Amino acid sequence: MASVACVSLLSEAEFGCEHLATQLSQDGGAGDQFKTSFIKTHNSLSNRARSGDLPTTQNGLRTISFLKPRYMCLTCSDAFVNGDREAHTEKTGHQFYMESRCRTLFCQGCGDFVYDYGLERLRSSTPESTLKRLNTILLEFSPKAKTYLVTQKRRFSESSTDELYVRSNANKRPCAKQGVRGLFNLGQTCYLNVILQTLLHDPILNTYFLGNGHQSHDCTTSDCIGCAVAEAFAEFNSSEKAEGFAALSLLLASWRASSTLAGYQQQDAHEYYQFLVDKLHTSSDGHHENHEKGCPCFFHRTFYGKLRSSVTCDKCGNVTRTEDPMVDLSLDVQVQAKKRAMGGAGASSTPTLSGCLESFTSPEKLLAGVYNCSGCGGSAQKATKQLRIKKLPAILCMQLKRYEHTFSVSEKLEGKIDFPLSINMLPYTTNPKPGLDKSKYVYDLSSAVVHKGKLDAGHYYVYCRQGNEWILFNDDQVTPVTEAEVLNADAYLLFYSLRSLATSSSQ
């Protein structure tokens, strides 16, 4: 156990930031006036949370208006949101605000929240009755405030050993169980739950959203999908609770962004994944709407690859190439099933993911009249078409097309398709040379989404890798499983992550 002498070396700096140091060190009582304003604003927000910002009903769901952050100026007591806050500082020079949800101090000069030990001690000295009311309100409406409130329950003293312990461990709170939190089904929302669980368990996305990724406190976009996903990452990783939680903000933002998704009807998880990736892309700063220009945003580099289509004229050999962005690969399982039914190669074996990829990238004969060859003067010619992957994304989604739609009937193909825990994607790219380093193209399975039931009445659940273990997420039900159980699943969507991000898979 650390001694008092050792603990003192780990204590906080004298002030939260240089701007706060200047403010609190002013002569003439200005520093004391700032402290008075700090406590006054804190108590004012506490009363508002208790009396004014109560849960409301919207679209049949209970929402909480005060969870939307507002910033109250400590100088003039006016309240602002994001962009308005910055404009207020430029106009008045006031640069300190208190955020309405957790009453944390925001410095506009730093552009970030700041923690000042002296002000926190001042905050903790408010009457016990006030703290008790505040604890009750926030724990009812905001479970994420629990960690902060634990430090409020005990009054500090100047010589408290507990105080020294808290000071030295304030930024070292051990996490509770991670990766084992389910998501409540809010009414036919299993399609959303499986896709969100997939994102929540990806290390790349965790680094982004739990780091300096999407800045929700500065975002001015109404019903922003990026903010909703960032909130889900914060809730998933910051709470000490192991029980499930509801991704209500993401559901409401999705409904408002797409009339097709609005309501409680069943949705396709693959289509929702495409929708969510597109909305995350548009929520990032500096993104390009035209994917062909090579968007530099994080989500484009993470989710989007590039697919090349080559059409070769059978008569003159002229080759026409086009390249299109891809966010996933839709692999035709029907081709494999038909080959088995006709007694073709591998008829007695189970269809495989590699077989689907080979079918996807194999040359295909086009019927006469479909292709007009420029090398033959624009006349219609027979031709051969082939698809290859020009650029691989860091997160690769592959859909096993289990649904077949004809004029007379729509049906679902049941049955297992073998897929591996890791796969080398080099043979399916535009440059499958044997001398290339295969490690640049190796992907590891991160999650597998399963659909059970018929086309119009089914349910989704997902297997996700958590470290070296596999977890089954069936809405809010969470169950540890083995690798064998995962590999035996009738997967609909497979998500693979690039094993080595230090290498580039560009062709």
Side-chain angles (χ1 to χ4, degrees), residues 321-338:
R321 293 188 177 92
T322 57
E323 294 181 356
D324 298 294
M326 71 171 197
V327 73
D328 56 63
L329 293 175
S330 291
L331 306 178
D332 195 350
V333 180
Q334 304 288 345
V335 174
Q336 296 293 305
K338 290 173 182 176

PDB file of all heavy atoms in Angstrom, residues 321-338:
ATOM      1  N   ARG A 321     -12.664  -1.164 -67.519  1.00  0.00           N
ATOM      2  CA  ARG A 321     -12.607  -1.282 -66.062  1.00  0.00           C
ATOM      3  C   ARG A 321     -13.358  -0.134 -65.401  1.00  0.00           C
ATOM      4  O   ARG A 321     -13.251   1.020 -65.817  1.00  0.00           O
ATOM      5  CB  ARG A 321     -11.156  -1.283 -65.572  1.00  0.00           C
ATOM      6  CG  ARG A 321     -10.338  -2.506 -65.980  1.00  0.00           C
ATOM      7  CD  ARG A 321      -8.985  -2.503 -65.285  1.00  0.00           C
ATOM      8  NE  ARG A 321      -8.208  -3.705 -65.597  1.00  0.00           N
ATOM      9  CZ  ARG A 321      -7.344  -3.783 -66.597  1.00  0.00           C
ATOM     10  NH1 ARG A 321      -7.138  -2.715 -67.378  1.00  0.00           N
ATOM     11  NH2 ARG A 321      -6.676  -4.904 -66.815  1.00  0.00           N
ATOM     12  N   THR A 322     -14.088  -0.463 -64.369  1.00  0.00           N
ATOM     13  CA  THR A 322     -14.748   0.536 -63.522  1.00  0.00           C
ATOM     14  C   THR A 322     -14.483   0.183 -62.068  1.00  0.00           C
ATOM     15  O   THR A 322     -14.350  -1.003 -61.722  1.00  0.00           O
ATOM     16  CB  THR A 322     -16.265   0.578 -63.764  1.00  0.00           C
ATOM     17  OG1 THR A 322     -16.819  -0.725 -63.533  1.00  0.00           O
ATOM     18  CG2 THR A 322     -16.570   1.017 -65.188  1.00  0.00           C
ATOM     19  N   GLU A 323     -14.406   1.199 -61.217  1.00  0.00           N
ATOM     20  CA  GLU A 323     -14.165   0.984 -59.792  1.00  0.00           C
ATOM     21  C   GLU A 323     -15.256   1.679 -58.982  1.00  0.00           C
ATOM     22  O   GLU A 323     -15.621   2.824 -59.273  1.00  0.00           O
ATOM     23  CB  GLU A 323     -12.790   1.514 -59.399  1.00  0.00           C
ATOM     24  CG  GLU A 323     -11.645   0.744 -60.043  1.00  0.00           C
ATOM     25  CD  GLU A 323     -10.278   1.264 -59.635  1.00  0.00           C
ATOM     26  OE1 GLU A 323     -10.231   2.287 -58.910  1.00  0.00           O
ATOM     27  OE2 GLU A 323      -9.264   0.664 -60.041  1.00  0.00           O
ATOM     28  N   ASP A 324     -15.762   0.984 -57.994  1.00  0.00           N
ATOM     29  CA  ASP A 324     -16.848   1.501 -57.160  1.00  0.00           C
ATOM     30  C   ASP A 324     -16.532   1.252 -55.692  1.00  0.00           C
ATOM     31  O   ASP A 324     -15.915   0.234 -55.343  1.00  0.00           O
ATOM     32  CB  ASP A 324     -18.175   0.820 -57.512  1.00  0.00           C
ATOM     33  CG  ASP A 324     -18.608   1.089 -58.944  1.00  0.00           C
ATOM     34  OD1 ASP A 324     -18.912   2.253 -59.251  1.00  0.00           O
ATOM     35  OD2 ASP A 324     -18.619   0.131 -59.747  1.00  0.00           O
ATOM     36  N   PRO A 325     -16.986   2.175 -54.809  1.00  0.00           N
ATOM     37  CA  PRO A 325     -16.778   1.949 -53.369  1.00  0.00           C
ATOM     38  C   PRO A 325     -17.636   0.785 -52.888  1.00  0.00           C
ATOM     39  O   PRO A 325     -18.735   0.544 -53.402  1.00  0.00           O
ATOM     40  CB  PRO A 325     -17.216   3.272 -52.741  1.00  0.00           C
ATOM     41  CG  PRO A 325     -18.172   3.862 -53.732  1.00  0.00           C
ATOM     42  CD  PRO A 325     -17.678   3.446 -55.077  1.00  0.00           C
ATOM     43  N   MET A 326     -17.136   0.056 -51.917  1.00  0.00           N
ATOM     44  CA  MET A 326     -17.907  -1.038 -51.326  1.00  0.00           C
ATOM     45  C   MET A 326     -17.845  -0.925 -49.817  1.00  0.00           C
ATOM     46  O   MET A 326     -16.814  -0.575 -49.237  1.00  0.00           O
ATOM     47  CB  MET A 326     -17.365  -2.394 -51.774  1.00  0.00           C
ATOM     48  CG  MET A 326     -16.010  -2.747 -51.177  1.00  0.00           C
ATOM     49  SD  MET A 326     -15.520  -4.456 -51.502  1.00  0.00           S
ATOM     50  CE  MET A 326     -14.223  -4.681 -50.277  1.00  0.00           C
ATOM     51  N   VAL A 327     -18.968  -1.188 -49.178  1.00  0.00           N
ATOM     52  CA  VAL A 327     -19.019  -1.180 -47.723  1.00  0.00           C
ATOM     53  C   VAL A 327     -19.176  -2.599 -47.192  1.00  0.00           C
ATOM     54  O   VAL A 327     -19.044  -2.836 -45.983  1.00  0.00           O
ATOM     55  CB  VAL A 327     -20.169  -0.277 -47.218  1.00  0.00           C
ATOM     56  CG1 VAL A 327     -21.531  -0.922 -47.458  1.00  0.00           C
ATOM     57  CG2 VAL A 327     -19.982   0.086 -45.754  1.00  0.00           C
ATOM     58  N   ASP A 328     -19.436  -3.557 -48.087  1.00  0.00           N
ATOM     59  CA  ASP A 328     -19.530  -4.966 -47.720  1.00  0.00           C
ATOM     60  C   ASP A 328     -19.477  -5.802 -48.988  1.00  0.00           C
ATOM     61  O   ASP A 328     -19.536  -5.272 -50.104  1.00  0.00           O
ATOM     62  CB  ASP A 328     -20.818  -5.259 -46.937  1.00  0.00           C
ATOM     63  CG  ASP A 328     -22.063  -4.828 -47.707  1.00  0.00           C
ATOM     64  OD1 ASP A 328     -22.313  -5.384 -48.794  1.00  0.00           O
ATOM     65  OD2 ASP A 328     -22.778  -3.931 -47.218  1.00  0.00           O
ATOM     66  N   LEU A 329     -19.380  -7.105 -48.816  1.00  0.00           N
ATOM     67  CA  LEU A 329     -19.448  -8.046 -49.934  1.00  0.00           C
ATOM     68  C   LEU A 329     -20.698  -8.894 -49.764  1.00  0.00           C
ATOM     69  O   LEU A 329     -20.883  -9.543 -48.726  1.00  0.00           O
ATOM     70  CB  LEU A 329     -18.208  -8.949 -49.955  1.00  0.00           C
ATOM     71  CG  LEU A 329     -16.860  -8.291 -50.254  1.00  0.00           C
ATOM     72  CD1 LEU A 329     -15.741  -9.320 -50.121  1.00  0.00           C
ATOM     73  CD2 LEU A 329     -16.854  -7.666 -51.644  1.00  0.00           C
ATOM     74  N   SER A 330     -21.575  -8.878 -50.769  1.00  0.00           N
ATOM     75  CA  SER A 330     -22.775  -9.712 -50.753  1.00  0.00           C
ATOM     76  C   SER A 330     -22.491 -10.960 -51.572  1.00  0.00           C
ATOM     77  O   SER A 330     -22.367 -10.897 -52.800  1.00  0.00           O
ATOM     78  CB  SER A 330     -23.975  -8.946 -51.327  1.00  0.00           C
ATOM     79  OG  SER A 330     -24.354  -7.900 -50.454  1.00  0.00           O
ATOM     80  N   LEU A 331     -22.369 -12.086 -50.892  1.00  0.00           N
ATOM     81  CA  LEU A 331     -21.943 -13.330 -51.522  1.00  0.00           C
ATOM     82  C   LEU A 331     -23.144 -14.244 -51.753  1.00  0.00           C
ATOM     83  O   LEU A 331     -23.936 -14.498 -50.835  1.00  0.00           O
ATOM     84  CB  LEU A 331     -20.911 -14.029 -50.643  1.00  0.00           C
ATOM     85  CG  LEU A 331     -19.701 -13.174 -50.250  1.00  0.00           C
ATOM     86  CD1 LEU A 331     -18.770 -13.956 -49.333  1.00  0.00           C
ATOM     87  CD2 LEU A 331     -18.959 -12.682 -51.486  1.00  0.00           C
ATOM     88  N   ASP A 332     -23.252 -14.744 -52.967  1.00  0.00           N
ATOM     89  CA  ASP A 332     -24.390 -15.551 -53.369  1.00  0.00           C
ATOM     90  C   ASP A 332     -24.232 -16.987 -52.887  1.00  0.00           C
ATOM     91  O   ASP A 332     -23.432 -17.758 -53.432  1.00  0.00           O
ATOM     92  CB  ASP A 332     -24.542 -15.505 -54.891  1.00  0.00           C
ATOM     93  CG  ASP A 332     -25.889 -16.020 -55.359  1.00  0.00           C
ATOM     94  OD1 ASP A 332     -26.621 -16.588 -54.517  1.00  0.00           O
ATOM     95  OD2 ASP A 332     -26.216 -15.874 -56.544  1.00  0.00           O
ATOM     96  N   VAL A 333     -24.999 -17.361 -51.878  1.00  0.00           N
ATOM     97  CA  VAL A 333     -24.984 -18.725 -51.373  1.00  0.00           C
ATOM     98  C   VAL A 333     -25.753 -19.648 -52.303  1.00  0.00           C
ATOM     99  O   VAL A 333     -25.500 -20.841 -52.376  1.00  0.00           O
ATOM    100  CB  VAL A 333     -25.583 -18.776 -49.952  1.00  0.00           C
ATOM    101  CG1 VAL A 333     -25.576 -20.194 -49.393  1.00  0.00           C
ATOM    102  CG2 VAL A 333     -24.816 -17.848 -49.028  1.00  0.00           C
ATOM    103  N   GLN A 334     -26.694 -19.080 -53.071  1.00  0.00           N
ATOM    104  CA  GLN A 334     -27.520 -19.886 -53.961  1.00  0.00           C
ATOM    105  C   GLN A 334     -26.659 -20.618 -54.995  1.00  0.00           C
ATOM    106  O   GLN A 334     -26.946 -21.744 -55.371  1.00  0.00           O
ATOM    107  CB  GLN A 334     -28.535 -18.985 -54.676  1.00  0.00           C
ATOM    108  CG  GLN A 334     -29.424 -18.176 -53.756  1.00  0.00           C
ATOM    109  CD  GLN A 334     -30.449 -19.031 -53.045  1.00  0.00           C
ATOM    110  OE1 GLN A 334     -30.684 -20.169 -53.433  1.00  0.00           O
ATOM    111  NE2 GLN A 334     -31.048 -18.499 -51.989  1.00  0.00           N
ATOM    112  N   VAL A 335     -25.593 -19.969 -55.467  1.00  0.00           N
ATOM    113  CA  VAL A 335     -24.725 -20.594 -56.456  1.00  0.00           C
ATOM    114  C   VAL A 335     -24.129 -21.872 -55.903  1.00  0.00           C
ATOM    115  O   VAL A 335     -24.105 -22.922 -56.561  1.00  0.00           O
ATOM    116  CB  VAL A 335     -23.603 -19.628 -56.889  1.00  0.00           C
ATOM    117  CG1 VAL A 335     -22.612 -20.323 -57.805  1.00  0.00           C
ATOM    118  CG2 VAL A 335     -24.201 -18.406 -57.580  1.00  0.00           C
ATOM    119  N   GLN A 336     -23.654 -21.815 -54.661  1.00  0.00           N
ATOM    120  CA  GLN A 336     -23.078 -22.995 -54.033  1.00  0.00           C
ATOM    121  C   GLN A 336     -24.128 -24.079 -53.827  1.00  0.00           C
ATOM    122  O   GLN A 336     -23.878 -25.264 -54.056  1.00  0.00           O
ATOM    123  CB  GLN A 336     -22.469 -22.605 -52.687  1.00  0.00           C
ATOM    124  CG  GLN A 336     -21.297 -21.647 -52.791  1.00  0.00           C
ATOM    125  CD  GLN A 336     -20.096 -22.295 -53.453  1.00  0.00           C
ATOM    126  OE1 GLN A 336     -19.626 -23.342 -53.025  1.00  0.00           O
ATOM    127  NE2 GLN A 336     -19.612 -21.693 -54.525  1.00  0.00           N
ATOM    128  N   ALA A 337     -25.329 -23.675 -53.429  1.00  0.00           N
ATOM    129  CA  ALA A 337     -26.388 -24.649 -53.192  1.00  0.00           C
ATOM    130  C   ALA A 337     -26.810 -25.334 -54.486  1.00  0.00           C
ATOM    131  O   ALA A 337     -27.074 -26.543 -54.518  1.00  0.00           O
ATOM    132  CB  ALA A 337     -27.589 -23.956 -52.540  1.00  0.00           C
ATOM    133  N   LYS A 338     -26.887 -24.573 -55.578  1.00  0.00           N
ATOM    134  CA  LYS A 338     -27.291 -25.143 -56.863  1.00  0.00           C
ATOM    135  C   LYS A 338     -26.239 -26.108 -57.400  1.00  0.00           C
ATOM    136  O   LYS A 338     -26.566 -27.118 -58.019  1.00  0.00           O
ATOM    137  CB  LYS A 338     -27.559 -24.018 -57.863  1.00  0.00           C
ATOM    138  CG  LYS A 338     -28.814 -23.220 -57.542  1.00  0.00           C
ATOM    139  CD  LYS A 338     -28.963 -22.017 -58.458  1.00  0.00           C
ATOM    140  CE  LYS A 338     -30.206 -21.205 -58.079  1.00  0.00           C
ATOM    141  NZ  LYS A 338     -30.326 -19.966 -58.894  1.00  0.00           N
TER     142      LYS A 338
END
